[in-house]
Amino acid sequence: MRALYLAVDGGNSKTDVLLGTADGEVLGFVRGPTTSPHTIGLPGTLKVLVSLITAVREEAGLAAATPIDLAAVYLAGADLPIEVERLQAAITARGWSRATLVDNDCFALMRAGTSLPDAVAVVCGAGNNCVGRAADGRTARFVALGPISGDWGGGHDLAEHTLRLAARGEDGRGDATVLSAAVAGYFGRATVEDVSIGLHLGEIDLLRIRELTPLLFAAATEGDAVAAGLVRRQAEEILAQHRVAAGRLGLLDARHALVLGGGVLYARHAVLHDQVVAGARAQAPLVEISVLDAPPAVGAALLALDALGHSPAAEQRLRAAMRSASPTTAVPAVAIENAG
């Protein structure tokens, strides 16, 4: 009988779960909400995973008694060793598989982007994170607890700073910028001051601030100096993460992959992408840079296949299958309501 695996990629906004075989066949693929324990707590994480794993087994037509050999679970929020240990213990205790691998979702993204054993992955989506690995098994990572651990960047930070710069540019505390008119116009207000008051009074949902990131990149592309400065700060942060992670692993002068992922980097805004590529090559001349073009869940599946001892043909089959695969949406509403 073919070995079976579960592969989970749980990000801050969604979770993908695959059920597949060691020869690269995909039997089921479902998608649900976040499973980050930082957002919904460990009990909430487990409840959502129960629903999604049940759904993917049903989609695959897997009998209840059919055992699964390995679960490879990669989650946002698995940042500290103690968090990984707790997740590993809790998931193992559920008995979903004979063996369990648990780690941060950045490792899944990295594996989806490269087969090189020496690699660094930088994720710039809603937030920012980075991990690295060397062929000898060493890893490099950051505490990644947000501002309290020195983190900065990603779509949410960029959007908040866009609003701040627009306000300061309008009232004179900062340099004049086209962001002021752009932000006011986006919310249908005469001034950024009106936008700020609307946010304060609840007339505008605070979550809508997150919608401002495209305005930043549009202004930077048009040559606005204030917007360009903020984009440059993001590029410098991404390059610092790569430099430190690769440096800790002794890879700055060696051939290695740099995988770029997350919505901000996936968009390939030239004003950001070109700075990152040039800067990475300046600090690591042998680096091979790619922007992830596959779902990170592919990486979780490949890490499962690596552990099961797959053939190169199995990886090719999996990647080919996932290029045209669409997940079934499985939203475990009850799990979300009771999470936390």
Side-chain angles (χ1 to χ4, degrees):
M1 183 177 178
R2 295 179 298 176
L4 298 174
Y5 69 83
L6 285 166
V8 179
D9 171 67
N12 286 307
S13 60
K14 63 178 175 61
T15 299
D16 285 346
V17 179
L18 300 182
L19 196 158
T21 69
D23 59 5
E25 184 180 1
V26 176
L27 303 178
F29 180 22
V30 301
R31 174 170 293 170
T34 181
T35 42
S36 169
H38 285 184
T39 303
I40 60 175
L42 181 55
T45 295
L46 295 173
K47 288 177 182 177
V48 176
L49 286 176
V50 166
S51 297
L52 293 176
I53 289 171
T54 299
V56 80
R57 288 184 67 109
E58 289 175 354
E59 182 175 283
L62 206 63
T66 304
I68 292 175
D69 296 278
L70 177 68
V73 182
Y74 294 86
L75 303 178
D79 296 304
L80 303 177
I82 187 63
E83 292 172 326
V84 175
E85 291 170 12
R86 288 171 178 168
L87 282 164
Q88 176 91 39
I91 292 170
T92 299
R94 302 299 301 214
W96 292 323
S97 58
R98 290 169 172 155
T100 306
L101 299 174
V102 177
D103 215 321
N104 188 271
D105 62 330
C106 289
F107 286 101
L109 183 146
M110 178 195 297
R111 184 62 179 88
T114 185
S115 298
L116 285 179
D118 294 315
V120 173
V122 177
V123 182
C124 188
N128 230 148
N129 201 359
C130 172
V131 298
R133 69 156 189 247
D136 59 12
R138 290 176 297 130
T139 61
R141 57 204 304 166
F142 297 88
V143 176
L145 299 177
I148 63 172
S149 60
D151 304 323
W152 184 88
H156 292 176
D157 274 349
L158 291 174
E160 290 175 1
H161 279 274
T162 296
L163 177 59
R164 185 175 291 114
L165 291 171
R168 295 174 67 86
E170 178 180 271
D171 66 22
R173 289 176 294 169
D175 293 334
T177 170
V178 300
L179 291 173
S180 300
V183 168
Y186 182 79
F187 288 111
R189 303 291 174 111
T191 65
V192 184
E193 181 176 295
D194 290 337
V195 173
S196 300
I197 292 171
L199 289 163
H200 174 70
L201 295 178
E203 297 167 357
I204 303 173
D205 189 337
L206 287 168
L207 290 178
R208 294 200 63 201
I209 296 172
R210 298 176 181 178
E211 300 171 13
L212 297 177
T213 306
L215 275 64
L216 168 68
F217 284 103
T221 299
E222 293 167 4
D224 182 78
V226 172
L230 182 54
V231 172
R232 182 167 57 253
R233 181 182 176 188
Q234 180 64 85
E236 290 169 351
E237 180 69 12
I238 291 166
L239 291 170
Q241 290 175 312
H242 169 236
R243 183 185 69 253
V244 172
R248 289 176 181 174
L249 298 173
L251 298 179
L252 286 174
D253 295 318
R255 178 181 179 235
H256 68 281
L258 171 58
V259 180
L260 305 174
V264 173
L265 287 169
Y266 181 76
R268 293 177 182 258
H269 300 287
V271 289
L272 175 64
H273 181 78
D274 292 351
Q275 290 187 72
V276 171
V277 170
R281 288 175 176 162
Q283 64 194 17
L286 300 180
V287 69
E288 298 180 9
I289 304 167
S290 63
V291 178
L292 186 67
D293 61 358
V298 171
L302 288 172
L303 288 165
L305 291 182
D306 291 344
L308 292 171
H310 69 88
S311 67
E315 177 167 344
Q316 294 170 7
R317 186 179 186 188
L318 171 67
R319 289 188 180 276
M322 289 300 292
R323 276 195 286 272
S324 59
S326 296
T328 300
T329 301
V331 182
V334 173
I336 298 171
E337 290 168 4
N338 296 333

